[in-house]
């Protein structure tokens, strides 16, 4: 079930919905997560929160916002990446343990 949640969280960040206009340095389009959370949580904060923006890890940058809905929409995919990282780490550790249990001490993998 975790795989479905992380996939939805990660996919929901892709800027597939076109927008009217943005500044020259902004990523074109908006994500489903951002659009839905902006509509559901229309709260302006008295302070700014950092959020990650960009289409990929290569175009990733940090932007600041006072809009709680925008922050939530941009943070949802981060949760997906955290869950995915946990899963991959767990798979690697269990694989190394299993491998080491099957073979002689001199053939074991160090970690």
């Amino acid at each position: 079930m975790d795989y479905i949640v992380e996939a939805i969280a990660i996919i929901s960040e892709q800027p597939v919905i076109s927008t009217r206009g943005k500044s020259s340095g902004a990523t074109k389009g908006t994500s489903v997560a951002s659009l839905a959370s902006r509509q559901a949580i229309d709260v302006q904060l008295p302070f700014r929160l950092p959020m990650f923006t960009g289409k990929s890890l290569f175009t990733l940058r940090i932007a600041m916002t006072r809009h709680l809905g925008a922050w939530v929409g941009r943070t949802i995919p981060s949760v997906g990446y955290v869950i995915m990282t946990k899963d991959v780490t767990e798979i690697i550790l269990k694989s190394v343990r299993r491998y080491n249990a099957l073979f002689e001490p001199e053939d074991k993998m160090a970690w």
Side-chain angles (χ1 to χ4, degrees), residues 5 17 19 22 30 36 41 61 63 71 73-74 80 87 89 102:
V5 172
I17 301 171
T19 56
K22 287 191 171 186
T30 191
I41 309 169
R61 64 184 182 88
W71 183 81
R74 295 273 172 84
D87 289 345
T89 302
L102 295 173

Side-chain angles (χ1 to χ4, degrees), residues 17-44:
I17 301 171
S18 62
T19 56
R20 284 182 286 165
K22 287 191 171 186
S23 60
S24 62
T27 304
K28 292 186 192 298
T30 191
S31 68
V32 174
S34 183
L35 186 66
S37 64
R38 283 173 191 261
Q39 291 173 348
I41 309 169
D42 190 16
V43 176
Q44 290 292 329

